[in-house]
Each structure stands twice: as C-alpha cells, then as structure tokens.
Amino acid sequence: MIPAAFAYHRPSDVQSAVRVLQEHGDEARVLAGGHSLIPMMKLRMAELGHLVDLQDVAELKGVSVENGTVSIGAMTTQHELIASDDLNRAAPILREAALQIADPQVRYMGTVGGNVANGDPGNDMPGLMQCLDASYTLVGPDGSREVAARDFYEAAYMTAREDEEILTRITFAAPMGGYAYEKQKRKIGDYATAAAAVLLTKEGGSVASASIAMTNLSDVPVFSEAAAAALVGSDCDEAATTAAISAMLDDIEPTEDNRGPVDFKRHVAGVILARAIQRAWSRA
Amino acid sequence: MTKMHIKLTVNGEPKEVLAEPRELLIHTLREQLNITGPHIGCETTHCGACTVEMNGKSVKACTVFAAQADGAEITTIEGLGTPDELHVLQRAFREHHGLQCGFCTPGMITRAHRLLQENSNPTEEEVRFGMSGNLCRCTGYQNIVKSILAAAAEMNAIKEAAE
Amino acid sequence: MNDMAAPTREERAAKLKGLGCSRKRVEDVRFTQGKGNYVDDVKLPGMLHGDFVRSPYAHARVKSINTEAAMAVPGVLAVLTAKDLEPLSLHWMPTLAGDKQMVLADGKVLFQGQEVAFVVAENRYAAADGIAAVEVEYEELPVLTDPFEALQSDVVLREDLEAGADGAHGPRKHHNHIFLWEEGDEAATNQAIDSAEVVAEEMVYYHRTHPCPLETCGTVASMDKVNGKLTVWGTFQAPHVVRTVASLLSGIEEHNIRVISPDIGGGFGNKVGVYPGYVCAIVASIVTGKPVKWIENRMDNLMATAFARDYWMKGRISATKDGKITGLHCHVTADHGAFDACADPTKFPAGFFHICTGSYDIPVAYVGVDGVYTNKAPGGVAYRCSFRVTEAAYFIERMIEVLAIELGMDAAELRRINFIRKDQFPYQSALGWEYDSGDYHTAWDKALKAVGYDDLRKEQAERVEAFKRGETRKLLGIGLTHFTEIVGAGPVKNCDILGMGMFDSCEIRIHPTGSAIARLGTISQGQGHATTFAQILASEIGIPADSITIEEGDTDTAPYGLGTYGSRSTPVAGAATAMAGRKIRAKAQMIAAYLLEVHDDDLEWDVDRFVVKGAPERFKTMAEIAYASYNQAIPGVEPGLEAVSYYDPPNMTYPFGAYICVMEIDVDTGQHEIRQFYALDDCGTRINPMVIEGQVHGGLTESLAIAMGQEIAYDEIGNVKTGTFMDFFLPTAWETPNYTTDYTETPSPHHPIGAKGVGESPNVGGVPAFSNAVHDAFRAFGLRQSHMPHDQWRIWKTAQQLGLHG
C-alpha cells in the first residue's frame, strides 16, 4: 500500500523533463495519469528514485483535427478523449474504445500517452493505435523522432522508447469507413480477455481496405496484416470472416491466466474479432 | 526524504501540509487534515471508497500523490451539504436505503455528485455505468441506483421551478 | 374552539414506528456525512503503527529472521518475532475450534501470507519501510493444497501436534486429519439407498472464497499503564468474547479491559475470530505503553483472514421411481487450511451442516465430515454461512437437481412432492433438528406463479430447438432453489463459543422525560440495529422508536452478548429486547395502577398507554409513567424504570425461501446475463421491510459473485492467485441485476415476537439459485454437475465438453 520514497519533479516544459530523465537514467520515470505506475509503486513492484510529473507541461495537452490529421497530446486523459466531439467525428473508434477502459474515476486521470507508452500488454490503446496506423512523437535529449505504433512494441513493458525520451504526441490520419472496438472482459475495470480493433472501408460492396489489431493476446499488441488481407476484396461474408479469424489466430500467442486457459482465449479472440468485423462492416 | 510544502484547497478551505513526495493524497486527507470521510478499501485502485473530487474530476485519492495535488481544489463528502442542510444526495440515500455499513458511502455519494454534474438526467443504465468505479458489499447497488435517480429527479425539479 | 380529535389507535401506532414500519435509518445521518467512526478513524496521541512481514511461501522452515536493517529505518521502534512472544506464551493462541494457531511464525510457516514478524513504527510509512528491510531466510518444504492428497501424504504440516493423540473433536486418523464428525444413522441410510429404485450420486464442490467486507480488519490497542487499563478498539463482531479472550491471553482481569467495536464497515463473518494482528498490537501497546494501530491491507485480508467454504461434498440420494426421497448420504472432505480456526460453536466442528436435508421430508440420512489440514489460510466459517448452512443448502439443492435428472422429472415438481408439509411442524429432521415452523408449498407456488414458470419452461424448450437448428448461440437456464436455513445460535445447553453460552442480552433504561436508552450484546456491521431494535422496543413499551437510543459494542457498558454473525441478532438479542421490554411494561403496569388508583388487573395495554378496562378516558401513557417512576414514592416499587434480559433461546429459528433465477448463457464466450431474479423470503415477523429488502439485495449480490466467478484460488505450490480485486471477483453496479423481492410470513412459534432473522438467507439461497441456473441451461445437453465458480472460461469449458462448439 505504501510506495518506497522518491524525489519529485514537476517541470513546466518538455526539455526540463527530458533533462531529469537524462540525469537519472533508469532511476527516473515520468508520471502521466499515474493509474498504471502508482498502483505498481504501491505494491513496490516499481521502485524509482525520481518521478517526473508531467501535469504542468502545456505542450503535452491539446487535441486537434486539421486537414484530416488527428493530433492528440500525450497528457490527454481518457475522459477528455471521450468528451471531445471533434475527435469523435474524426475517429469514433476512439470513444468506443475509451469507454471500455477501466472505470469513470480512472478515466479522469489515465492518459492516452500513459496507456500507449507503458508497454503493458493489457492496455487497449496500443492495439487501437496500431489499427489506426498512428505515429508516436518521441522527444529526447537529441531532439524528436517519429515511431510508428506498429513498430513501437518489442515485449511486455519494453518499447522503442529510450529511457530519456518522452512520448509527447500521437498522430494519425482520420480513418474512413466502418469501425469497431470489441472487448470481452470479466467485469468493468478488467483488462481484456480478448479485444479487437477493426477499421475497414467499403467500395462497390466489397472490402477495399482493412486494419485489424488484437489486444492482450500476446506480450505485445498484435497488428494482424494477414487477418486484414483475408477480408480485402470480399463482401465480409462468413467465409472471409472465418479466414480472417484463422489468420489472426496464427499471429497471437495468448497465455493462461485467471481469465482462462489458452484454448478459451483463442476461441474468444475469434468470436470477438468476428463481432468486430460485423459491426465495422455494418458501419462502412 | 525531505518533505515538500503542499498547498491545496479542501472543501473550500485553504490547507498547507508538509508531506513526503510519496505520501498518498488519501493519507494526507485522513491523517494530516483529519478528513476521515473518504476510506481505504483496497490497494489496487479498484474499490473507489477513497473517491474525492479534484479540480472537478472524480478521482481515487489512493492513487494520487499529495504532491500531484499541490495547487488543487479538493472536495470530499464533508464538503457536500451541512448538518443543517444536507445535500439532496445525502437525503436521497437515506430516504431510499442506499447504504448499510456506510463504508463505501462517502466515495459513492461524492462520485454520484460529479456524475450528476456530467449528466443531470441519467437513465438507470447510465447511473450503473457511471458508478462502476465504486464497489459496495452490502446493498447490491439497487437502492444506491434508486437514491441517485431520486436525487437527480429532485435536483431537476428544483432547477425547473427556479426557471 | 379546539378541533383536534384524539388520535386513533392506528395513528398512535404509526407514530411509534414500531414493528413492520420501514423506518428510515438513524445511522444514515452520520454515514452520509462521512462522520462514521471506523477503527482506522481512531487517532490517539502518540499512537504507533504496526504491520506484518508475511511469508511468501506456503510451507517453509524459517531459518533466520534478521531485523538489524529494519531497526535502522528511521521511525521503526521494534520488530517482534515469535521469540519475543514466547515468554508471554503468546507466540501461539487458541482458536475458536479447539486448535491452536501461530501468532507469529514459530520455526515454520504454513500458508502464503502468514505473519512472520510485527514491525512497530511511528507511522505507517515507516512501518512499510521497516517491513521491506526485514530479512527472512526460508527453506521451502513440499506444499499440500489438495485435501485428498493431504490425507494420503507423508508430509507433516502440523509438527506441533502430538502424533497419534486425539484432536479437540476426537481421534485423528492421519497427521493431516483434524476430526471426523458424524450425525444420523449411517447403516439405515445405506440400507435405504442400496435398496432404492432410483439413486443419484454426485460430488458437489463448494469452492473456497472470502467474505471480503469493504473495510479490512484492524485494531487500536491502548494500554494505560497509569491506571492499568487496556482499551482495544477493533473490527470485532463479538466484542465481549474478544474481551474474555484478551483477558485469558494477557492475564489482565476483564474489568481492566475495555473492548470497543465502533462502526464496522461490513463483517460477513470475517471479523468474528481473533487475528494475530490484534494480539501483536495489544502486546506492542503493553510493551511500549503507547497506543498501537494495526490495519491490514486488502491482500492481507484476502490471503490471511478467515476464508469461507471449501467443502467437497459427496452425495448419494435415493428415491422411489415416482420421486419420493427415501434416503440421503453425505460425506464431506473439509479443507480447513493450516489451523482449524473455524468460528463454529464448540460442539459443532462442521457447524450446522446437518441441516442438509433442507426443505425435504427425508426419513433417513447420514452426514460424515472429515476435516483436513492444508497449506492455506485458516478459517472456513464465514460469509453469511450461518455455520456451514450455505454449504448444506448448496449440497441439497444440487442433489435435488441431479435426482431430477436421474428421474427425468421437472425439478420444481420433485421439490414440491418432497417438501415438509405445513402440518408436520414442529418437524423432527432425520439429522436431529427440530424445525420450528414453515409453509413451503405456499411459498413455492407463489414463486413459480410470480415468474410464470410454465411459460419459462416452454420458452426454454423452444430455445433448445432453436439452438440445435443453429439459430442462436444462447441457452436459457431456470435456477430453482427452495432453502431452509437455521439461525439464531443458540440454546446454551449445546451452543457455546469458547465456553460462553450463546445467549444474548438487552438492558433498557427509561429516562424521566420519557425517552430511553437500550444496550445490547450484539454489534451491527451495517444491519441497522440502532434503527430496528428501537422498533422492537417501541412496539413493546409504547415509546416512539425516534425517542430510543440503541447502543452496542462497548464492553464497559453493554451487557454481555455473543455478538452478531449467523443471523443471530434478531432471534436472540431481539428476543432479549422484547423480554426486557415486557419487564418494563410489567413494572409500568404497577405504577399506572398506583397512579390511577386501580388494581393491576383492571388495566389493559393499548399501544402506548395503560387504560382502565371499560373506562377508556382513564389512562396513563408510558411517558407519564416514566416520570412518575422518578417522582413518586410508590409502595412496594423501587424508583426508576429499567430492566435487563439475558435470553437463552429454546431452539434455533428456521427461515426459508424460494428463489428463482432466469439466466441467458452465451456458449461461445461463456458470458451470462441475468434476465430475472425473484427472491421470496420468509423470516417470520418482519421488523423493517426496507431493511429486509436491503439485506436480500446485498446477500444476493454476494451470491452472484460467489457463483459466477469469485474464488480464493491457489496454484500447486500454494501461491494465492486471486489476492487482489483484479482477480477476486466483486461485481460493480454494472454486473449486478435488479432483484424482485417478495415474502410470506410464517412466525416462529417460540420467539417472543415471532421473528426468525434474515441476513444470511440470501447467501444460503442465492448461490444455489445462480448455480442451478447455469446447470439448468445445459441440462438438455447432458450436464449433471459442473463446479463453481461459473466464470466465463468454466462455462465455456462446459459447453466445449458437451460438444456445443462443433
């Protein structure tokens, strides 16, 4: 219940924050909403000497939709994401997914940046961002760079972000067509037993393009190109959906836990993906 | 660790405390400021018994450092209504038996208060969804939902009468 | 001109807010303002904090404990180990079940989370740092988590117990065996079953779970060395028993110990026993001379405090081919964990499990329970179980369903033809209980009608066909339960806790100006005693409930009682309240007779006054009588108006109910949806309908959790897999349905106001209803028994095994 002691920093700009990370290396972590990090600190599963609170860094806030490009500051909370009508018009899948994350209080504090940067396989935003083909802006001592969400996740809690870099912004082209975020969980507040993010466009009655990503079925989010390819050119009938599921199942590697054994998770992953595809198709 | 000087407003009153950076807001409230309405029911941010309002947001005070709350405006159950003039929610919870042991109640009412600011006329489903961050072991939620819907109806009636 | 007519009898009764009134609760005023006083709210000058180093291993030798680094942490004052408690003989303590348990690890640890050392510090942050700095060297030992395996294994868990010697309940047949407890006639039962036309046999497992009140356990112990008085605040469901135990353990006389149960944030049986935290805090306070607070974390609570259930119940039930039950045999393998700390009355190591003939007229039956030690936390009796009645009810309600399958019969009809009939009460069961009253047929018919049972069965049959045709992937289950439970422990001649007879008490004092205070030996943890016991009194003595203060929980002022658990407050303390009220009224009658200058027998009681028979305009209200008792010199009558009653109940009480759960199940995802839940409860006389309904809602929600996903699960080496709310299932408002509550009222013939108690009925009846709904959904596809909890993956597994994923 009680974290170990640490030194607290509250910078007001990104560069100051980066400097603290540089100085203390892996002894320092940034604090966004705190609702992944602080619970771990309370269980003493994460012990750090320095915490860098980002709440006063203005550049990390703000959401914009301009010329079809969506830009979300890392410190945007799930609550702000859900409340933004601009975002909902540009990418309604965001609100649909965010409403299925945690509970109302956690959504008031939990940030999109924290959710994508943590590397926790249970978080929902990583898979979603891969589906959206989002790009993450990483700012470090040597400047800023862009890393595609699809290239960002290496293993559980291991990402392409260096220790002294801060993820500042998430950018993607506003998607067209149908969308769905489908998530099975044991109760509100739980991570996914299986979740699927699906985007697809329809042209002349067929699937013109598709994007599929799965969550909490591996130690990283799974962007399944093969599953999407199985849908393209089809009219999203049962055969195509079955093929997509089959392809997806080859890409995931779920492990047994309290949610259930591997065969259960694989079956549910298929069911969830099928439902997501159907819903996305109906909206395309 | 050296203590920090933290200033915050709690239930309308300015407060100053010295706290280690790692001191959790729930402990600052309960131990230093003697505000014992919000309670501790778990250590994994699930139960919501510690729910307060911070800068207009419903927040679980067990998952916030006092340091993060430096400069913040906090409202707890003690800041809703007075003994002579209870808040509509406090009266509704009593009227409709929305509590038994009382341990979840401060967090529950504080969250309901913000919920009704977000949505002044929620359906039952919206109330259940909006209260899903607060656990109760005694009531089975049915009368909590009833209490909140009744409070919403009364608040809306008062608003309408005033217009 | 005075237009005011005298109030009618109905108006005067209504003003009292007595029995039957949905009186709003007096407790709510402080709780809704955040002004409750729970143990963690207690703050005393100079107060220290203590907390535990706990074992990560389920079975290990403790080779060494190094406290040097911990003592160097700023703010840490002391680290207690078993060696420090040994000179006080407190390193072990007696349990409620006649066993003993370690207070701090003495040479070895026996379950994950077991207390190893107690760190005392200036504040809880320093204590946490101190705990992290204690270095313990363990040597792991083989772990036993399966009770069947434990009974065969060479691994000795309890090396402190003398090999071959008897346990507290008789001979032990193996070093990991605790007791064999039996009831009924085994030979006759086997005979009936062996010669029966139809027999159904099944292993019914009620899994391990935990009562998990929202407030964890805790205490503040304060030794006043100047006055030699120990004061202990704590989450105690039985404060007087704690005082007696504390006296026996510490050597401090009871008059110098004050135990206070303040507001308690839910008990559900988790807060009955004495935990190492209480003992260590008391010792630390005595040693330091300062108050010491111990409040456990949630993980500590789930891993180390009294769990519930864990009964493997092997049943055999026999019947004629027409469905009349002829015999019931039950053998239980009871997993008790590392120490037998079951909170049962002393003579009942398996509680009241032998109520397992349930609502049915079964001519012959036998129960045998083998208690077993394993590497898990101690406990077993908790969670609104009424002393193993939840296990018993689940067992019989599952056996009825399995028998119905064997007979090819409708399960509602099978129940009806076997119910004990109303005219058979008081009913002597084959396992030795005398059921006080009941009318099961009326309740059953009412319940079936309310849910439209026949239409539901039609709908279900159509759904099965639609499923087979591939038109739907959802099955419909109708979960039936008719439970009879047993509460109100209990008659002193056979019910005691650590030797204290299970009577209870009420002491009333009427003030000169007509209001009153009453103190009870019970303690509310949310049941609303301050509201409802005033209602009992109001109806007895004619003073408005709003003018009666009810107090509980301070052993310096409250009369001795055995506390609140097992739904005993209304049956026992409620009876004491009524009886004390009647003593008040008897004295009041004498005073009224004096004031009215008539003979006692010339008066009759009318709601709130004594009236002269035949002269209704001549009366004295209780308020007037109260004043007179302080003001008048009445020959032969002492001044004042007070009374006390210690009530020894002649029998237990037997509430019953009919619950029906309608559930949809998605066979592909394992998800469920509760379409409807109807709960009819008969608790005899209903004191406060609003409070009863609240109890039922709460208990049904606990049942939903238990049946549909909640468990304390271990892996093969004794690690707790469900130690936080991430995995220990507590439904939110979103997962919880609305319940329809209903009632019948069959008073208890032996209770002064006919009331039976209701708090635990919804757990007793709820779990079988939810579980039977799951089973019933799959019945048409061949399912007989699938162990709880029915979480998504287990439901999915059942569907898979029945070939429904083809």
Side-chain angles (χ1 to χ4, degrees):
Chain A
M1 177 74 195
I2 313 281
F6 56 86
Y8 175 80
H9 309 261
R10 203 205 267 197
S12 36
D13 63 82
V14 174
Q15 288 311 321
S16 310
V18 167
R19 271 197 295 278
V20 179
L21 296 182
Q22 245 190 313
E23 195 184 327
H24 299 287
D26 63 5
E27 274 282 297
R29 289 278 297 264
V30 294
L31 176 67
H35 278 52
S36 291
L37 184 59
I38 297 179
M40 284 179 57
M41 293 173 71
K42 285 162 69 174
L43 296 174
R44 302 210 176 195
M45 280 161 56
E47 288 198 18
L48 24 114
H50 297 266
L51 210 58
V52 185
D53 187 342
L54 298 176
Q55 68 174 285
D56 286 345
V57 180
E59 304 118 89
L60 302 178
K61 298 291 279 187
V63 163
S64 72
V65 181
E66 250 169 88
N67 298 322
T69 301
V70 177
S71 170
I72 304 174
M75 286 297 283
T76 305
T77 64
Q78 302 292 350
H79 182 96
E80 288 163 344
L81 195 82
I82 291 164
S84 166
D85 290 328
D86 286 344
L87 274 185
N88 195 44
R89 267 189 295 274
I93 196 177
L94 286 174
R95 181 183 281 176
E96 181 162 286
L99 282 169
Q100 298 183 68
I101 294 175
D103 65 51
Q105 288 94 311
V106 176
R107 290 195 292 270
Y108 263 118
M109 292 295 286
T111 64
V112 182
N115 200 288
V116 300
N118 207 10
D120 183 343
N123 285 144
D124 292 279
M125 294 268 131
L128 178 60
M129 292 305 165
Q130 290 189 332
C131 186
L132 285 162
D133 199 10
S135 166
Y136 301 150
T137 307
L138 302 173
V139 176
D142 300 327
S144 97
R145 62 190 180 113
E146 297 288 317
V147 178
R150 292 177 187 171
D151 299 328
F152 189 71
Y153 301 95
E154 294 164 3
Y157 302 101
M158 283 175 52
T159 68
R161 184 186 65 85
E162 300 293 340
D163 282 343
E164 340 65 84
E165 285 181 311
I166 297 176
L167 194 152
T168 59
R169 195 150 281 278
I170 297 144
T171 318
F172 55 87
M176 311 290 279
Y179 68 93
Y181 194 82
E182 190 84 28
K183 177 177 177 179
Q184 174 163 337
K185 52 194 193 290
R186 292 173 295 180
K187 57 175 267 198
I188 287 208
D190 194 17
Y191 288 132
T193 298
V198 174
L199 291 167
L200 40 84
T201 57
K202 187 199 284 187
E203 244 171 65
S206 303
V207 176
S209 68
S211 181
I212 292 175
M214 308 298 290
T215 289
N216 214 18
L217 294 161
S218 192
D219 66 341
V220 289
V222 174
F223 176 68
S224 180
E225 283 199 51
L231 290 181
V232 171
S234 79
D235 60 354
C236 246
D237 60 356
E238 204 183 315
T241 306
T242 304
I245 291 171
S246 188
M248 175 274 293
L249 288 174
D250 282 339
D251 285 341
I252 62 170
E253 219 179 313
T255 52
E256 176 164 341
D257 61 17
N258 285 321
R259 293 179 189 87
V262 172
D263 55 354
F264 166 68
K265 289 191 177 187
R266 290 177 68 83
H267 187 118
V268 169
V271 174
I272 289 302
L273 179 57
R275 291 182 187 177
I277 290 172
Q278 272 205 7
R279 222 147 39 84
W281 185 239
S282 72
R283 289 162 164 165
Chain B
M1 265 302 138
T2 341
K3 294 200 173 164
M4 293 174 57
H5 190 193
I6 292 167
K7 291 181 172 172
L8 53 168
T9 308
V10 183
N11 297 327
E13 285 179 28
K15 301 283 181 192
E16 287 184 41
V17 295
L18 283 175
E20 284 181 66
R22 64 167 170 167
E23 183 169 304
L24 298 167
L25 178 60
I26 187 63
H27 288 136
T28 307
L29 291 169
R30 288 182 52 81
E31 310 281 308
Q32 295 216 45
L33 298 176
N34 261 321
I35 290 167
T36 56
H39 297 133
I40 296 172
C42 76
E43 58 267 16
T44 52
T45 320
H46 287 100
C47 79
C50 62
T51 301
V52 301
E53 250 179 62
M54 188 169 85
N55 296 333
K57 305 182 252 206
S58 290
V59 166
K60 296 185 182 183
C62 71
T63 311
V64 176
F65 294 118
Q68 289 173 275
D70 189 16
E73 258 183 59
I74 313 274
T75 305
T76 71
I77 184 73
E78 290 93 335
L80 298 178
T82 66
D84 295 320
E85 214 181 311
L86 293 173
H87 192 277
V88 178
L89 277 165
Q90 290 166 314
R91 285 191 280 106
F93 267 68
R94 183 170 186 223
E95 184 64 31
H96 299 284
H97 195 35
L99 63 150
Q100 291 179 28
C101 82
F103 201 73
C104 77
T105 307
M108 207 57 88
I109 293 181
T110 306
R111 168 58 195 148
H113 175 256
R114 178 47 43 186
L115 171 63
L116 294 181
Q117 306 294 313
E118 294 162 6
N119 179 354
S120 62
N121 199 10
T123 61
E124 177 180 331
E125 197 175 277
E126 285 168 336
V127 170
R128 286 182 177 274
F129 186 76
M131 298 301 296
S132 61
N134 291 75
L135 297 177
C136 173
R137 294 292 281 149
C138 295
T139 68
Y141 305 106
Q142 195 157 328
N143 286 342
I144 289 176
V145 174
K146 213 164 147 197
S147 303
I148 295 171
L149 289 171
E154 190 182 324
M155 285 163 74
N156 290 328
I158 294 171
K159 212 166 40 176
E160 258 170 66
E163 278 155 12
Chain C
M1 178 140 129
N2 190 348
D3 283 331
M4 271 175 43
T8 64
R9 174 173 296 129
E10 290 69 34
E11 283 165 347
R12 286 187 286 123
K15 192 152 158 277
L16 294 182
K17 295 188 193 163
L19 288 181
C21 168
S22 283
R23 181 182 181 219
K24 304 293 174 252
R25 298 192 340 154
V26 303
E27 298 90 331
D28 295 356
V29 179
R30 68 180 181 279
F31 290 150
T32 55
Q33 296 186 67
K35 295 297 182 191
N37 188 38
Y38 302 89
V39 173
D40 201 11
D41 300 338
V42 174
K43 287 194 198 91
L44 300 174
M47 188 171 75
L48 306 174
H49 281 256
D51 202 358
F52 288 103
V53 175
R54 293 180 181 271
S55 170
Y57 299 110
H59 194 200
R61 300 228 179 273
V62 177
K63 309 288 284 176
S64 67
I65 303 176
N66 189 337
T67 63
E68 206 181 308
M71 288 299 293
V73 170
V76 171
L77 299 166
V79 182
L80 300 178
T81 65
K83 283 200 172 49
D84 301 303
L85 298 181
E86 201 176 334
L88 308 163
S89 297
L90 285 176
H91 55 320
W92 287 76
M93 62 176 172
T95 71
L96 293 177
D99 195 354
K100 51 186 159 87
Q101 77 175 91
M102 291 182 220
V103 173
L104 289 173
D106 183 20
K108 68 187 292 194
V109 287
L110 284 161
F111 60 93
Q112 188 182 53
Q114 185 180 344
E115 300 84 356
V116 173
F118 189 66
V119 173
V120 183
E122 284 168 2
N123 58 68
R124 62 184 86 208
Y125 280 64
D129 291 340
I131 289 165
V134 173
E135 288 155 10
V136 185
E137 205 190 315
Y138 297 96
E139 183 189 287
E140 288 179 72
L141 295 168
V143 174
L144 295 173
T145 57
D146 178 328
F148 298 96
E149 197 191 310
L151 278 180
Q152 314 272 347
S153 173
D154 291 333
V155 177
V156 179
L157 296 181
R158 295 292 301 276
E159 293 164 319
D160 59 289
L161 297 176
E162 199 191 312
D166 281 5
H169 307 288
R172 299 169 58 224
K173 55 192 181 203
H174 180 274
H175 46 259
N176 295 326
H177 185 245
I178 311 176
F179 61 82
L180 168 63
W181 181 84
E182 298 177 283
E183 192 66 56
D185 186 335
E186 187 168 26
T189 301
N190 283 333
Q191 218 271 311
I193 293 174
D194 292 341
S195 59
E197 289 169 342
V198 180
V199 177
E201 194 170 322
E202 198 58 64
M203 171 65 91
V204 178
Y205 177 47
Y206 199 139
H207 61 291
R208 175 177 284 235
T209 179
H210 192 285
C212 196
L214 197 60
E215 178 206 30
T216 59
C217 300
T219 190
V220 176
S222 182
M223 184 68 206
D224 172 358
K225 288 195 157 172
V226 170
N227 293 300
K229 186 142 178 159
L230 173 68
T231 306
V232 187
W233 288 262
T235 50
F236 307 134
Q237 290 180 239
H240 290 92
V241 175
V242 169
R243 187 189 70 191
T244 305
V245 168
S247 175
L248 294 170
L249 291 182
S250 67
I252 302 171
E253 290 190 278
E254 271 190 272
H255 72 113
N256 281 325
I257 299 179
R258 179 182 181 195
V259 170
I260 301 169
S261 296
D263 290 322
I264 300 180
F268 313 124
N270 187 223
K271 295 170 174 170
V272 175
V274 173
Y275 293 119
Y278 305 153
V279 176
C280 289
I282 290 172
V283 169
S285 183
I286 291 172
V287 164
T288 60
K290 291 187 165 170
V292 177
K293 175 184 278 189
W294 167 72
I295 305 284
E296 61 173 2
N297 285 326
R298 177 56 60 190
M299 284 174 73
D300 307 334
N301 176 254
L302 290 175
M303 286 171 59
T305 65
F307 74 94
R309 320 287 191 265
D310 218 342
Y311 256 32
W312 293 90
M313 306 173 282
K314 185 77 186 280
R316 281 160 56 221
I317 188 167
S318 59
T320 67
K321 54 182 175 358
D322 301 318
K324 201 73 184 68
I325 298 171
T326 58
L328 178 72
H329 187 288
C330 179
H331 176 264
V332 182
T333 302
D335 186 335
H336 278 235
F339 308 103
D340 186 3
C342 262
D344 283 313
T346 308
K347 299 180 182 64
F348 298 92
F352 302 151
F353 183 78
H354 50 307
I355 195 70
C356 62
T357 53
S359 309
Y360 312 104
D361 185 12
I362 300 178
V364 71
Y366 164 81
V367 166
V369 180
D370 277 308
V372 185
Y373 289 123
T374 58
N375 288 120
K376 299 175 185 171
V381 166
Y383 214 169
R384 275 161 129 156
C385 74
S386 305
F387 304 117
R388 298 289 185 188
V389 177
T390 41
E391 292 86 321
Y394 185 66
F395 170 73
I396 186 64
E397 290 302 303
R398 284 299 311 138
M399 291 309 296
I400 290 284
E401 294 287 319
V402 171
L403 180 61
I405 291 171
E406 198 69 44
L407 288 164
M409 258 185 93
D410 174 82
E413 188 53 29
L414 177 60
R415 286 178 170 84
R416 180 188 286 106
I417 67 182
N418 283 290
F419 282 148
I420 301 162
R421 292 183 324 272
K422 187 173 175 184
D423 58 85
Q424 287 179 279
F425 289 90
Y427 172 80
Q428 206 62 37
S429 87
L431 292 173
W433 294 114
E434 186 186 280
Y435 293 24
D436 60 0
S437 66
D439 186 356
Y440 302 158
H441 291 87
T442 300
W444 197 234
D445 289 341
K446 192 170 182 186
L448 295 179
K449 180 154 177 240
V451 303
Y453 182 70
D454 294 337
D455 289 337
L456 283 172
R457 284 294 179 204
K458 278 203 198 80
E459 185 188 345
Q460 183 186 45
E462 283 159 17
R463 180 73 66 87
V464 170
E465 293 313 308
F467 186 91
K468 289 178 176 166
R469 289 193 299 268
E471 288 162 18
T472 176
R473 299 297 290 165
K474 290 203 171 139
L475 298 177
L476 181 68
I478 303 161
L480 303 172
T481 291
H482 189 289
F483 67 92
T484 294
E485 78 139 333
I486 170 174
V487 295
V492 174
K493 66 178 186 284
N494 59 6
C495 289
D496 70 90
I497 298 279
L498 284 183
M500 301 297 111
M502 293 182 76
F503 58 85
D504 227 281
S505 58
C506 174
E507 183 188 276
I508 309 173
R509 182 173 300 149
I510 317 289
H511 302 316
T513 47
S515 64
I517 182 165
R519 296 184 168 109
L520 314 168
T522 48
I523 175 73
S524 179
Q525 313 115 41
Q527 297 91 327
H529 293 176
T531 302
T532 56
F533 281 79
Q535 293 180 250
I536 298 176
L537 264 185
S539 289
E540 290 291 338
I541 64 177
I543 290 178
D546 287 347
S547 300
I548 303 174
T549 291
I550 300 288
E551 266 184 17
E552 294 171 306
D554 183 338
T555 62
D556 263 7
T557 49
Y560 203 101
L562 273 290
T564 295
Y565 42 82
S567 295
R568 63 183 300 276
S569 301
T570 293
V572 193
T577 302
M579 300 307 281
R582 287 170 200 183
K583 291 184 187 179
I584 295 279
R585 212 164 76 211
K587 180 169 179 177
Q589 185 161 5
M590 293 196 281
I591 297 170
Y594 170 82
L595 295 173
L596 292 164
E597 295 170 322
V598 296
H599 196 266
D600 291 2
D601 298 338
D602 294 330
L603 293 175
E604 60 192 3
W605 176 252
D606 178 23
V607 177
D608 58 354
R609 58 196 59 180
F610 279 106
V611 183
V612 176
K613 288 178 185 167
E617 73 287 358
R618 301 195 61 224
F619 61 85
K620 286 294 170 192
T621 64
M622 186 57 87
E624 292 170 304
I625 293 165
Y627 187 76
S629 76
Y630 287 85
N631 166 263
Q632 300 276 313
I634 304 172
V637 176
E638 285 179 10
L641 189 55
E642 73 180 59
V644 63
S645 169
Y646 283 78
Y647 187 77
D648 179 6
N651 191 6
M652 314 288 292
T653 60
Y654 299 77
F656 61 93
Y659 291 178
I660 301 179
C661 174
V662 182
M663 190 187 285
E664 302 260 358
I665 288 181
D666 182 327
V667 306
D668 292 317
T669 60
Q671 290 170 311
H672 72 272
E673 188 202 314
I674 296 148
R675 220 170 78 173
Q676 181 183 15
F677 198 108
Y678 171 89
L680 182 156
D681 279 277
D682 191 316
C683 59
T685 303
R686 290 155 57 84
I687 300 165
N688 183 323
M690 177 189 81
V691 166
I692 291 171
E693 185 190 66
Q695 291 292 306
V696 176
H697 290 169
L700 289 180
T701 303
E702 291 185 333
S703 296
L704 165 67
I706 293 168
M708 307 308 293
Q710 183 186 92
E711 55 177 334
I712 295 288
Y714 293 81
D715 68 14
E716 339 64 59
I717 55 169
N719 291 313
V720 178
K721 291 162 62 172
T722 51
T724 72
F725 289 167
M726 176 61 83
D727 294 299
F728 183 81
F729 176 55
L730 294 185
T732 71
W734 186 254
E735 288 82 33
T736 308
N738 281 313
Y739 307 102
T740 303
T741 56
D742 201 348
Y743 68 96
T744 55
E745 209 165 319
T746 311
S748 169
H750 67 77
H751 189 280
I753 62 168
K756 290 186 175 183
V758 76
E760 302 187 315
S761 289
N763 283 48
V764 173
V767 172
F770 287 110
S771 183
N772 281 346
V774 175
H775 284 93
D776 187 71
F778 289 108
R779 178 174 164 173
F781 298 92
L783 180 66
R784 271 174 70 109
Q785 172 68 19
S786 169
H787 296 322
M788 298 191 286
H790 302 301
D791 46 2
Q792 292 169 6
W793 77 266
R794 288 185 174 98
I795 287 181
W796 180 86
K797 252 299 189 260
T798 296
Q800 186 196 47
Q801 281 159 359
L802 295 172
L804 302 183
H805 292 150

